Amino acid sequence: MLTIQKPLVHGLENPLGLDVSSPRFSWLLESDRRGEACAAYRVRVWVSLSAEGLSNRDDEDLVWDSGRRSGQSLSLLYDGPPLQSNTRYWWRVTVWDHQGKESESVPAYWDTGLFPGDWSAEWIWRSEEMKLNDFAYFRKSFDLRGAVARAKIFVSAHHVFQLFVNGQRVGGYGSPTPTGVPHRKYYLAYDVDSLLSTGSNCIGVAAHYLGGSGQNYVNGVPGMLLQLHVEHEDGTEQLVVSDLTWQALRQIPHRIGSPYQQNRRLSSIEDYDAALLEPNWLQPDVGEECCSSVVLAHPSAQQWSLHWQQLPEAEELETIIPSVAAAPSFVNGEEGLIQVFDAGKIISGWPQLALPGMAGVTVRLRYAETLDGSGRVVHQVCNETSHHYYDLYTMHGRGGIEYWQPDFSFKAFRYVEVTGYPQPIEEGQLRICSAGTAMARTGHFRCSSDFLNKLYDVCLQTQRNNVLGQVVDCPHREQAQYLADTDLQAETLLYNFDAYPVLDKTLQDFADGQLEDGSFPFVFPSNYEHPDFFIQIPEWDLHYATLLWKLYQFSGDTELLSRYYEPLRVMIEGYLSLISPATGLIPVGRGWHISDWPYPTVEHEGEHLTVQQIKAWQALRILSEAAALLNRADDSAAYAAHAQKLQVSVLNGLHDGSGKLLHDSSGSTATHQGVNALALYAGLLPQKDREAALKAVAGKPWESKTVLSLPLLRLLFEEGLQDQAYHLLSKPDYPGWGYMIAQGAETMWEGWDDIESHCHAWNGYPARLLQEYVCGIQSGAPGFATARIRPFFAPDLDFAEASVSTLRGKIAVRWERVSESGIRMQLELPCTMSATAALASPSTRPITGLLIDGVEIWGGAASSCMPDGIVRCELDDSMIELELLSGRYELTVRY
């Protein structure tokens, strides 16, 4: 019998403000029987404040009934009556198996957000003057005339806010995440009925505006927006909105206009004087003398397009009690006692103080990845000099322990240097909070090698550090969303986290930031108009196509392709317009050109760069396939023809016919390993040259860097050179990821060298490759409709296991050596998924037998009966290939 798990709306569990008109319902199926499948399904939707009695409600409460639909789909798009804003809808799905047995999900719900025209609130600020690194503390007292049945706050700010209801902190951190205004501004939604009561209530909002034309946000204008809807138990409603009746505190603890902490102006020093904050500012009856009137924000804010933030807020992921890096020391002057603490690894987040208060004492918290020769933190943000990478807390001294954390922005550091506090800090009085976007962890890898386990863990820690409301390149120096970086990070994100909303945001942000000629800013959101950031990287633009395709392949979501088809098409048309009539190739043109990174060895001489041509060819093919899936036959044919013409031009103009390889560029005779690995992996080189080209690429010393080592490793793994690929992945000597681990790294570096950034998640894709190739978990069709299980039985491993969560459920694989005689493998496939498992023998050890669930199928006293779930079994002395239906299996291969 089938059971239904994980009912989601638009891929989210009980979302609180979904403002799409046609949400998608999805669910997972589980069964103890192999090959079990759904024969039919039905979705029903009710409008209600609670789930009580849904199945028995009258038809008047039923909003939509899909009716019984045949097939084994795991999702359905809502196509009922128009949805009402700020409304709770409950739904459940019913499925039938092929024996006619019925199963029903538990009730799930989603709340609609506010649609255009539903906003009564106005953007407000504390004054008409626009200042850099501005803070504002807003409050609103109001009376509720009866018991509260439901209350929902919708709130936003530019750039970030912290919300309080009757003194209680509500929500996460870093909200809303950066977007490209005016095209898109996120708001958040919170249920607050449990925090409100009949009579007097108070809402408080602390907001921070950056405004410094930094690299990872759009300046816009300062503002705060809030709308509270209250439904009383007697059926009446009340509305509280941000407007000119709100108040702003005259005196606030945050210093306005404090210096930026980094050269890229990403965050400001939090200079916080606790004595300046009225202790009762969140109480309804605070004195009027503490407050001043607010003003309406700049008119441009009122025109921003508002959208509910679908990706989760940041949350506290881990609390670390740091070790003492060195014995406390004294220096003359204001610094006094110097105390340095070590978190043990680089984290994104902030320190947390819990110190006995001393009136007027100012504590300085300075951050760094590394220490200098004297044991103090260096005055750098990553590799860039900065004397401002610190925060300040001035104590109020009213008595007792004072708690504070500088959590309006993310810092990235391993070491914290504390000065200004005159007493030794005891254990627990300073903690380190690791924080980031609250993505659920979904993937797993473990093996018999502690070294590889460490490699996997370090990759994931680095990845955690680099999702801060958006996918960023590094958490300290830039915190910027690049297309190539996100494309490389998508590998590990998709296999190990619930990362779809975060990656979707990258595609949406760049669509919002697309320039008139179809190209993209080098990062976005960003103040692209500022001369410091008026940069383009044409090769990075082309990662828009591969990132979109990876997300489609993982999800199988053609709506995704439809949503981003136009930005992709416009980008490609821009490149096609640049093609030289003489050569048929794309010229170098403007921008900063990067074929590989960091510290690349690819030559860039001449007018045409080979990597740029290959990536453009990949993008054309992706666009053609997307067009076909979206029933745009003419587009599909046209872009396929463009791809073919570009391929011919590449082979005519850049191909070294005698060596079967491509030159680095039109002005170079070099044939770089990474350039040709990319061409081979993408399928651009002629089939007649593949064998010779593969041999040449595999025979070269490792010269690819981070960007081109991914296609190199994939090529080697998939072309029968697993031993060589595994060696590059796992070796502990320079260059490579294993070298970082051997040097004691707790996060992945920007490149192979121990310089610059020591926390760059684009180097985290080895985690995915361990799951995908050592354990062999691969997708066989978009959305994992089918899977391929092709493990590599690495000779130095006794076992390896991995799991990956898909839209159909979890795939799990574990293999282990059985003495010297063979391999035992346990395999779990979720309902509605089939798989092909290919188990290869070592080159010197022919296969002599196969057992499935303990029954011998081949060799010895083989059974003539194939176990349930095995559709096909092909055997020889070098390979076993099985076609399997869903379920759990144990396979034993004898050598």
Side-chain angles (χ1 to χ4, degrees), residues 535-616:
I535 301 170
Q536 288 190 283
I537 310 176
E539 287 84 354
W540 266 213
D541 286 3
L542 294 161
H543 283 265
Y544 194 88
T546 46
L547 174 60
L548 173 60
W549 200 244
K550 284 176 186 176
L551 201 50
Y552 165 68
Q553 288 292 323
F554 191 84
S555 68
D557 184 6
T558 54
E559 292 174 46
L560 181 85
L561 297 179
S562 178
R563 194 156 60 248
Y564 299 119
Y565 180 84
E566 192 59 18
L568 175 60
R569 187 195 65 79
V570 171
M571 185 264 286
I572 291 297
E573 286 291 342
Y575 277 95
L576 291 175
S577 71
L578 300 174
I579 287 179
S580 164
T583 63
L585 299 172
I586 301 165
V588 171
R590 69 177 185 272
W592 182 23
H593 288 273
I594 302 177
S595 293
D596 200 5
W597 197 260
Y599 319 116
T601 55
V602 178
E603 294 185 2
H604 277 187
E605 288 74 10
E607 285 298 309
H608 308 291
L609 306 182
T610 303
V611 166
Q612 187 175 17
Q613 317 304 319
I614 299 169
K615 290 181 177 179

Side-chain angles (χ1 to χ4, degrees), residues 253-254 269-277 351-367 390-406 418-421:
H254 277 97
I269 294 170
E270 286 196 46
D271 187 347
Y272 188 97
D273 188 341
L276 298 180
L277 181 63
Q352 300 171 321
L353 293 177
L355 294 172
M358 300 179 186
V361 167
T362 297
V363 182
R364 185 188 300 266
L365 303 162
R366 187 182 288 278
Y367 317 109
Y390 65 83
D391 293 302
L392 297 169
Y393 175 68
T394 301
M395 296 180 152
H396 56 69
R398 301 186 189 108
I401 302 297
E402 297 192 28
Y403 300 91
W404 186 71
Q405 58 184 37
V418 183
T419 56
Y421 194 69

Side-chain angles (χ1 to χ4, degrees), residues 838-843 845-848 858 875-880 895:
L839 312 179
S841 71
S843 57
R845 308 248 343 246
I847 297 173
T848 59
W858 185 46
L875 312 162
D876 61 41
D877 62 0
S878 64
M879 174 72 73
I880 294 174
Y895 300 129

Side-chain angles (χ1 to χ4, degrees), residues 120-139:
S120 302
E122 296 179 287
W123 286 93
I124 60 172
W125 197 243
R126 62 178 187 81
S127 74
E128 292 181 351
E129 186 179 4
M130 190 159 62
K131 299 180 179 180
L132 304 184
N133 282 327
D134 202 356
F135 288 87
Y137 282 59
F138 300 102
R139 64 184 308 279

